[in-house]
Amino acid sequence: MNAPLSASQAAPAALPTASDCDVMLLLEGTFPYVSGGVSSWVNQIIRGFPEIRFGICFIGSRREDYGPPKYALPPNVVHVEVHYMHERHNVPMVKPRRGDRKAFAQMEAFHELFRSPGSQAGQLSASLEALVPLMQDGKAMDEAAFLYSEGAWEYITRQYRAFCTDPSFVDYFWTVRIMHAPVWLLARIASRLIPARCYHSISTGYAGLLGALLKQQTGRPLLLSEHGIYTKERKIDLFQSQWIRDNRSVFEKDASQISYFRDLWIRFFEALGRICYEASDDIVALYETNRLRQIKDGAPAERTRNIPNGIDLPRLSALRPLRPETPPPVLCLIGRVVPIKDVKTFIRAMRTVVNLLPDAEGWIAGPEDEDQGYAQECRNIAEGLGLQDKVKFLGFQKIDELMPKIGLVVLSSISEALPLVLLEGFAAGVPAVTTDVGSCRQLVYGLDEADQALGAAGEVVGIAEPVLLAQAAVNLLGDLPRWHAAQAAGITRVERYYTQERMFGEYRSLYQQSLQQPGAPAQALRCPMHPQR
């Protein structure tokens, strides 16, 4: 790994800079500062196209939430800049402002489009196109007008009276301000970002909104690749968040309804998703269920497609001869120690596994720094269950060193898309036990009739079912013929459907199409494995 790069724009010399690039990657909370499946995929894509000059615009929450980079920057990354959405920045001076009523009427009309399920395709883009120029510094809807004008006050109070079901106007006022403040920062980023021949966002959300702004500003193509559905994942986060207020009294609360402010945040991120979908030229999902979810959430069906993840088969298949003849009684969860991975269910499952297989161990291979409080809770549960010698927290581990030592890959997540770790395990000869999330059922049992005929590469159980998770693991580890059949099914499935070369071929076509649109010099993209193609 290269020497750690500064995560601050205060030391720009540590980050590569350029006057332009071919593809600008818009990355929210991922590569290169956060490890995980999406970041690994970004690293894979950049290295898979060494002839493309990539730029990176990293969008994070706050500076202190990130340490040094987790990945070395490949040499074809020519430009990197870092922005934080929730840090203090130079806000305009406070002074009385009347506000432009016509501009606020345009903003109100824009918001009404989100409340209208029957709004026509293109209306959002047209409305945003008219609104964004007014958001530039010194214009009628700039940040100063949003923060301090009489027009903004009138708009917020009118919206509160019309729609808010929470009794606290103070909480409503600050929620609206906090929610919308990053929009002006993104508009400034878009106006100053170096030119690119196309933009590639790896999510909707803030990165997706930035992509929509850049598409509108430059006319260059926007490609969207969603690994998980951003709005779905934000819903999970928001349902679990403790900082969102609910000021209703015990008599006003309805257990079947979420609080107004929680719902407001959910609708905000849904709105960002619709904006990004409408602006994107191509919209990629990892598997069919997610593609259909994108369409339901507003993506134009004709622009959607599926491109599954692919793995470096030669590198991982070389690990198979390193495995012992009998699978080790080691269950390994490979991933970040965060609530969405539901590490607690894995630990609880290990209590049952150890009761039935006393030699078994549970390894947790992933960083603990993203949510240290949750990581400590996981350690406490392991100790409380008497598993301190059986459940081992290993921190980040290299896949190549880990796979030959384990008997099962275990995934206990409450939300996933198409997990690379399962494919990597299959390629290395390790079956899996996983919860029924994302495309896991497809990966374990197969998609269509031909795929399903290959057999099961493990077992799928329900979410938050530690006993069923344990029983599935014990059934595989305790039945050697069944384990070997699952191993063979996984190897064949990944070799047939989930290779890196197949994935690169799909993205090569998308990049080729985008980079050769009018206004960009023609450039042929070579196959990274077969340059003559």
Side-chain angles (χ1 to χ4, degrees), residues 51-331:
E51 65 274 29
I52 292 182
R53 298 167 65 248
F54 284 94
I56 289 175
C57 183
F58 175 88
I59 299 172
S61 51
R62 299 170 302 170
R63 194 180 311 265
E64 61 265 29
D65 295 334
Y66 307 96
K70 300 295 195 298
Y71 297 84
L73 292 177
N76 57 326
V77 173
V78 299
H79 182 86
V80 178
E81 54 185 73
V82 180
H83 302 276
Y84 302 102
M85 294 292 98
H86 302 300
E87 281 197 343
R88 292 181 62 87
H89 61 282
N90 294 327
V91 296
M93 290 182 61
V94 179
K95 65 179 183 180
R97 301 168 191 267
R98 178 62 185 160
D100 187 307
R101 294 189 182 280
K102 183 178 178 181
F104 277 100
Q106 283 184 255
M107 182 175 72
E108 189 163 3
F110 181 66
H111 280 84
E112 283 300 320
L113 287 174
F114 292 112
R115 295 191 180 98
S116 173
S119 58
Q120 298 298 310
Q123 283 185 299
L124 275 177
S125 295
S127 183
L128 183 65
E129 186 174 1
L131 193 59
V132 167
L134 302 178
M135 297 171 60
Q136 301 301 319
D137 291 341
K139 300 297 183 180
M141 188 57 70
D142 65 2
E143 188 174 22
F146 168 72
L147 291 174
Y148 307 129
S149 73
E150 185 178 337
W153 172 263
E154 291 173 351
Y155 175 76
I156 290 174
T157 54
R158 188 165 61 252
Q159 296 294 300
Y160 171 75
R161 293 190 185 101
F163 299 108
C164 187
T165 58
D166 190 285
S168 173
F169 173 74
V170 171
D171 285 339
Y172 178 82
F173 176 81
W174 286 106
T175 298
V176 169
R177 285 168 70 100
I178 292 168
M179 182 180 290
H180 287 80
V183 175
W184 277 265
L185 177 57
L186 291 171
R188 282 194 289 273
I189 294 171
S191 68
R192 300 168 185 172
L193 198 60
I194 65 169
R197 299 166 70 196
C198 78
Y199 300 96
H200 188 175
S201 179
I202 314 303
S203 67
T204 58
Y206 292 122
L209 176 59
L210 177 59
L213 294 173
L214 288 162
K215 167 69 180 293
Q216 179 189 98
Q217 174 181 297
T218 67
R220 301 306 307 153
L222 172 63
L223 169 62
L224 170 65
S225 296
E226 279 199 283
H227 288 248
I229 300 298
Y230 185 97
T231 50
K232 175 186 173 184
E233 293 176 354
R234 291 293 73 74
K235 282 181 183 179
I236 293 172
D237 293 340
L238 291 166
F239 279 127
Q240 295 176 335
S241 296
Q242 301 299 313
W243 55 270
I244 299 177
R245 300 290 295 272
D246 183 354
N247 298 296
R248 295 172 297 173
S249 70
V250 66
F251 301 106
E252 295 172 308
K253 290 183 180 180
D254 183 340
S256 66
Q257 297 178 346
I258 64 173
S259 70
Y260 178 82
F261 294 128
R262 209 176 296 274
D263 182 60
L264 189 63
W265 276 104
I266 290 171
R267 287 188 284 114
F268 174 72
F269 285 115
E270 288 175 342
L272 296 189
R274 285 182 61 190
I275 292 171
C276 182
Y277 287 144
E278 202 166 285
S280 298
D281 296 88
D282 291 283
I283 302 166
V284 179
L286 293 182
Y287 58 104
E288 182 64 8
T289 302
N290 268 11
R291 190 187 73 86
L292 296 175
R293 174 65 182 265
Q294 289 172 330
I295 295 170
K296 180 182 177 183
D297 289 347
E302 67 278 7
R303 300 184 207 166
T304 62
R305 68 173 70 195
N306 294 321
I307 303 179
N309 285 336
I311 50 91
D312 185 349
L313 188 60
R315 177 175 67 87
L316 291 160
S317 61
L319 303 178
R320 296 175 206 162
L322 304 179
R323 297 189 54 76
E325 189 171 328
T326 301
V330 176
L331 294 72

Side-chain angles (χ1 to χ4, degrees), residues 151 219 281 386 420 511:
D281 296 88
L420 274 172
Y511 281 149

